[in-house]
Amino acid sequence: MWEKKPLLLIALATAAILVGTTITMVLPFAWVNTETDRIASVTPYTPLQQEGRDIYIREGCNNCHTQTIRPLVTEVLRYGDYSKSGEFVYDRPFLWGSKRTGPDLARIGGKYPDAWHYKHMDSPRSMVPKSNMYDYAWLRKSTLDPVMSERKMKVLGFPYTQEQLAQLKGKNELDAVVAYLQKLGSDIAWRKAAEVTIVGELKNPYPDTAHRSMEEWEVIYSEHCAACHGGHLEGEIGPHLDGANYTDEELFSLIFNGIPDGGMPAFSSLGTNKVWKITNFVKYYVQGEDHP
Amino acid sequence: MEKPVYNTDIVRSFVHWSLLWGLVAILVGVIVSLQMVEPDLNFPPYLTFGRLRPIHTNAGIYGWGVGVIFATFIYMVQRLCKTPLWSNKLAKFQLWFFNATIIASAITLLLGYTTSKEYHEMEWPIDVMVVILWVVFAVNILMTILKRQEEQMYISLWYMMAALVGVAILYLVNAAALPVSLFKSYSAYAGTNDANVHWWFGHNAVAMALTAPPLAMFYYFLPKTTGVPIYSHRLSIIAFWSLIFMYLWTGAHHLLWTPVPDWVQTLAMAFSVMLIAPSWGSVFNGYLSMNGQWHQMKENYLVKFLIIGLTFYGLQTLQGPMQAIRSFSAFIHYTDWVPAHIHMGTMGWVSMISYASIYYLVPRIYGRELYSVPLANMHFWLTLVGQLVWSISLWVAGVLQAGMWNATNSDGSLTYTFMETMVEMYPYWWARAAGGFIFFLGIIIFIYNLFMTVRKGKDVVAPIVTAAGRN
């Protein structure tokens, strides 16, 4: 019957297509981005952050970086608290991505200080030698357009002030990207909540010289710390390090939990063993001494 | 009855242009695969991975995939309806508007005008062009069907009509945006809603553009090639209706474990597994149509392309549902496994069927015998080997990567940093680039063979008999 009536076939096919469409695509609008999943502390992007987001889109960053953390143990360990629907209400379009050639960025905000991002965007491989990310120093050459930015804010319905727009004048595209990255995932206070308290007494497993292995520890230090604190602890993005200023326990805790408000990431995901090795490397490293 | 005069000129043109865009898509694919292993091959601002990858995917889907759809649908619809195309003028307009759309897409994407939505990156003015293009095409095909001289509509026509409607609905809904300027717009949906709408589009674009149309081609060109009809009409009816009904529920399997409502994810997972049935309905129908004809796999290069293409479809529709299961998705999603899956579909299924269709068309629309069957066989093997190298290397890479991402120490900490897992990918990424290059060689030989067919192929004496066998 329908095999001889094209209009009937089209009507039936359309109906078949619309059933699943209505239930799985239209219906969720009744719950998503409503009071049900609202998070009060989540705020819209400022003009500078939104410009950064638009540059992120323009350069196709989402082709290599995702922005959604799944509620899975290793994922939360690696990237931070899992993503919640209410955190994305101001995201047009969504930028969750589909492939992690590079790491997830949903909670990159506040992980590093601005200086880290500038250095990394200028030349990713200067900090992460084997990275396949290319340089974005050229973003510094382009400036932002407050007129366009105001139009964007109006279309998006985001609040803004003339002062914020005026501030765009002196900024370049890289400033905007860094401002955007620093906002990502930081609207909820997850970093404080994720801090780990080690129960019991902290005991340095490498108490004396017989246990020391500066060569091995230096490899770990170089990989995780040198990009900010320098190969010789001289400091660059982060401060110069002098192990004598801290007790073993203080140093361990600082590295393990980071300094959430100070731009120092937590290294708890490395495990206590590696953190102790870094602690001891910093502790017993002597400036000027030749370390292989 | 007098034999109607079919429009073959327009089919020729669509074959030419889709081949060009296919060549571009594959070449850009090889380039971006090298950019991933060698960052110095990125030349900002225009020639970077971030900007070129959408050109690769969109040239592949809209230039190559849709170009072949245009060529084959216009060819098939006239013969299945025993009537000439409804409007040759409209088809001519469609051809040039198609090329204008593809060129405009490539230029704007290079300039960084993108919505960032995967497989739908083009900004709103190009969305408008795509909609015009599709409406023009759909009207022409539907009007041709309405004035057909053959009452019964063959299976291929069902899939064609479903694709015409399906693509229109998907594209229109997902394109909804608030324009800021000619080159910038914001999605009409926000956050989680945007994600859910987008993957409803993304997954079903695969259904309506890269599954239904190649099935239409397969159901038409396989019997034409082997000279034996499709095994079961009833099976094709069941497979068709269940396929187009079930597909639309599955988009959220791209979003398992994300903030999209749980029940949407669960439905997507369930329907994805159920989709094995209609997918394999077509696969079985194809295989069983070869009853008593399997010797043609050895003798007829066209059958090889069609049956191996169908086999990739079968594998794709088993692997896909497997990935749509929560536990497996938790492990494998976001790794290199996923592009390996997609490319088995595009390089194995869609391209193999497209190659077969064009091999079938060219001798008939030019009245020339194929220039070289050995070259066609070589093309087949390069395509097969290229695709297998491509996908197998990244499946291995994906499992390795997933294993490393999930590895923990006895104290519950992570064993590997992200970079430690990434550097392990380089050898596999090199292998993938090699696979892509082999595949690229295949299409070069293909195009050379077709070029020589048109230039130097022997004239066909009616009725058309090609190296492919009886007509």
Side-chain angles (χ1 to χ4, degrees):
Chain A
M1 179 219 7
W2 52 270
E3 289 175 70
K4 292 175 182 170
K5 294 197 165 69
L7 294 178
L8 178 65
L9 190 151
I10 286 179
L12 291 172
T14 308
I17 287 170
L18 287 180
V19 178
T21 296
T22 308
I23 293 173
T24 62
M25 191 277 278
V26 181
L27 211 53
F29 276 84
W31 290 274
V32 175
N33 295 355
T34 63
E35 277 305 307
T36 324
D37 58 2
R38 205 174 80 88
I39 299 172
S41 60
V42 173
T43 55
Y45 297 99
T46 65
L48 185 64
Q49 290 164 347
Q50 183 64 40
E51 286 298 333
R53 192 169 200 272
D54 290 343
I55 294 159
Y56 184 99
I57 290 170
R58 187 189 71 197
E59 297 313 323
C61 304
N62 56 295
N63 287 297
C64 291
H65 294 282
T66 55
Q67 284 189 20
T68 179
I69 300 166
R70 300 175 292 175
L72 305 169
V73 175
T74 50
E75 200 135 311
V76 172
L77 268 176
R78 191 179 295 283
Y79 301 116
D81 197 8
Y82 66 88
S83 297
K84 287 126 184 100
S85 182
E87 292 184 87
F88 300 100
V89 290
Y90 299 112
D91 285 14
R92 289 173 195 263
F94 78 110
L95 289 173
W96 294 356
S98 59
K99 164 108 199 317
R100 286 176 184 152
T101 299
D104 186 274
L105 299 179
R107 302 232 179 264
I108 194 73
K111 182 175 182 181
Y112 303 109
D114 287 358
W116 188 95
H117 285 292
Y118 281 103
K119 191 181 171 193
H120 182 256
M121 294 292 286
D122 276 345
S123 173
R125 278 169 291 165
S126 71
M127 302 182 86
V128 189
K130 286 173 181 165
S131 170
N132 64 345
M133 179 165 155
Y134 39 96
D135 301 354
Y136 282 95
W138 59 277
L139 289 178
R140 289 175 183 272
K141 285 187 241 162
S142 305
T143 51
L144 305 169
D145 175 7
V147 179
M148 186 63 177
S149 194
E150 184 164 21
R151 273 167 70 181
K152 288 176 175 177
M153 299 306 276
K154 280 183 175 155
V155 169
L156 289 164
F158 292 170
Y160 64 95
T161 62
Q162 288 305 320
E163 198 189 344
Q164 284 176 321
L165 290 176
Q167 278 168 359
L168 294 182
K169 283 230 170 84
K171 309 264 189 196
N172 61 47
E173 291 189 338
L174 189 55
D175 296 325
V177 171
V178 172
Y180 168 62
L181 292 174
Q182 292 293 31
K183 152 100 168 162
L184 280 180
S186 60
D187 280 349
I188 60 172
W190 69 274
R191 227 176 269 279
K192 266 269 179 268
E195 258 180 45
V196 181
T197 316
I198 302 233
V199 183
E201 196 187 346
L202 285 175
K203 198 162 174 293
N204 190 343
Y206 309 103
D208 49 54
T209 43
H211 290 87
R212 281 180 206 152
S213 168
M214 293 300 273
E215 295 90 343
E216 184 210 334
W217 299 345
E218 182 162 21
V219 174
I220 305 171
Y221 172 87
S222 303
E223 192 181 333
H224 302 288
C225 318
C228 288
H229 294 287
H232 303 282
L233 286 65
E234 71 275 20
E236 188 190 334
I237 289 167
H240 155 75
L241 298 175
D242 187 349
N245 292 343
Y246 307 94
T247 65
D248 290 0
E249 292 74 21
E250 282 170 351
L251 204 48
F252 175 89
S253 301
L254 272 179
I255 300 169
F256 198 78
N257 278 320
I259 309 172
D261 303 323
M264 158 101 178
F267 287 91
S268 52
S269 67
L270 292 179
T272 48
N273 192 20
K274 271 190 184 168
V275 174
W276 271 120
K277 287 175 177 172
I278 298 171
T279 303
N280 282 285
F281 179 75
V282 172
K283 186 91 185 162
Y284 299 107
Y285 185 92
V286 181
Q287 292 285 337
E289 202 174 282
D290 192 26
H291 294 283
Chain B
M1 199 183 87
E2 208 180 316
K3 201 173 183 304
V5 184
Y6 298 143
N7 185 344
T8 50
D9 283 357
I10 199 70
V11 179
R12 287 183 187 186
S13 300
F14 274 119
V15 167
H16 299 165
W17 285 101
S18 61
L19 281 171
L20 176 69
W21 300 129
L23 186 70
V24 170
I26 296 164
L27 179 63
V28 177
V30 173
I31 292 170
V32 295
S33 74
L34 292 170
Q35 285 180 321
M36 257 177 91
V37 277
E38 188 36 81
D40 288 333
L41 292 175
N42 287 277
F43 301 100
Y46 307 115
L47 302 176
T48 60
F49 180 87
R51 292 197 187 182
L52 285 175
R53 189 231 172 204
I55 293 182
H56 162 64
T57 54
N58 289 302
I61 297 167
Y62 298 97
W64 169 231
V66 172
V68 174
I69 291 174
F70 288 164
T72 53
F73 278 26
I74 291 173
Y75 180 91
M76 290 189 289
V77 77
Q78 299 183 85
R79 279 146 188 90
L80 289 170
C81 296
K82 289 207 172 74
T83 186
L85 195 63
W86 180 64
S87 167
N88 292 333
K89 275 189 189 150
L90 213 52
K92 198 92 187 157
F93 168 79
Q94 183 197 336
L95 172 74
W96 294 110
F97 203 67
F98 163 64
N99 288 319
T101 308
I102 298 297
I103 292 166
S105 302
I107 292 172
T108 53
L109 288 174
L110 271 182
L111 292 173
Y113 302 130
T114 170
T115 65
S116 87
K117 289 183 160 193
E118 270 185 286
Y119 318 130
H120 201 156
E121 280 94 344
M122 288 77 81
E123 267 295 354
W124 69 272
I126 293 177
D127 282 342
V128 174
M129 292 174 82
V130 172
V131 171
I132 294 171
L133 187 63
W134 198 259
V135 168
V136 164
F137 171 56
V139 165
N140 215 350
I141 295 289
L142 292 177
M143 291 307 288
T144 308
I145 292 174
L146 285 177
K147 69 180 186 80
R148 70 196 182 285
Q149 300 297 316
E150 172 76 48
E151 197 187 13
Q152 175 82 13
M153 294 186 293
Y154 181 65
I155 312 165
S156 297
L157 288 176
W158 319 339
Y159 279 103
M160 285 159 67
M161 281 189 270
L164 292 178
V165 175
V167 170
I169 296 173
L170 293 163
Y171 204 87
L172 277 174
V173 172
N174 195 48
L178 317 161
V180 180
S181 69
L182 194 56
F183 301 113
K184 179 73 194 168
S185 67
Y186 292 113
S187 174
Y189 323 104
T192 306
N193 278 331
D194 195 40
N196 194 44
V197 171
H198 177 72
W199 284 112
W200 163 81
F201 161 86
H203 190 70
N204 292 295
V206 174
M208 295 300 165
L210 304 180
T211 303
L215 281 172
M217 297 172 208
F218 179 82
Y219 277 115
Y220 181 86
F221 291 110
L222 183 77
K224 282 285 182 189
T225 301
T226 58
V228 177
I230 286 295
Y231 171 74
S232 165
H233 187 72
R234 183 174 300 176
L235 185 55
S236 66
I237 292 174
I238 297 168
F240 171 76
W241 287 106
S242 48
L243 186 89
I244 65 166
F245 175 73
M246 285 195 244
Y247 235 112
L248 280 293
W249 298 68
T250 59
H253 68 211
H254 288 255
L255 297 166
L256 296 178
W257 302 100
T258 70
V260 164
D262 238 27
W263 61 269
V264 180
Q265 299 180 28
T266 305
L267 277 175
M269 181 167 99
F271 274 83
S272 300
V273 174
M274 281 150 64
L275 260 179
I276 295 173
S279 306
W280 274 77
S282 289
V283 174
F284 277 126
N285 220 350
Y287 283 159
L288 292 171
S289 305
M290 292 293 291
N291 273 345
Q293 299 299 321
W294 286 104
H295 59 90
Q296 290 203 40
M297 278 293 275
K298 216 161 81 180
E299 299 153 3
N300 188 339
Y301 69 95
L302 263 177
V303 176
K304 268 193 280 201
F305 274 102
L306 287 164
I307 292 299
I308 298 300
L310 185 77
T311 303
F312 275 121
Y313 176 59
L315 294 173
Q316 186 76 355
T317 52
L318 283 180
Q319 193 182 53
M322 186 170 88
Q323 291 165 217
I325 293 170
R326 267 203 186 88
S327 50
F328 192 68
S329 170
F331 185 68
I332 217 70
H333 200 42
Y334 304 124
T335 70
D336 277 284
W337 173 287
V338 177
H341 171 69
I342 298 160
H343 282 79
M344 174 161 68
T346 53
M347 297 162 85
W349 159 239
V350 182
S351 290
M352 283 264 196
I353 299 295
S354 299
Y355 290 150
S357 304
I358 293 173
Y359 273 127
Y360 181 90
L361 290 183
V362 166
R364 284 163 181 81
I365 55 183
Y366 281 97
R368 302 272 163 80
E369 282 186 33
L370 189 73
Y371 172 69
S372 165
V373 173
L375 279 182
N377 276 314
M378 192 195 276
H379 172 213
F380 169 79
W381 286 106
L382 288 171
T383 302
L384 180 63
V385 171
Q387 145 53 213
L388 289 176
V389 170
W390 206 112
S391 283
I392 291 172
S393 55
L394 286 201
W395 282 322
V396 176
V399 172
L400 175 66
Q401 201 173 20
M404 290 181 84
W405 284 354
N406 285 295
T408 51
N409 301 317
S410 53
D411 66 349
S413 58
L414 296 170
T415 310
Y416 302 102
T417 62
F418 188 86
M419 273 311 294
E420 283 170 336
T421 71
M422 204 212 89
V423 294
E424 295 297 323
M425 297 296 106
Y426 280 115
Y428 301 96
W429 286 344
W430 278 114
R432 179 259 305 274
F437 185 71
I438 295 168
F439 190 83
F440 178 70
L441 288 180
I443 195 172
I444 297 271
I445 287 174
F446 179 48
I447 291 171
Y448 171 77
N449 202 0
L450 296 178
F451 180 78
M452 294 305 283
T453 301
V454 174
R455 274 291 157 88
K456 295 202 171 154
K458 282 187 224 127
D459 281 350
V460 171
V461 276
I464 298 174
V465 176
T466 68
R470 50 196 159 280
N471 187 32

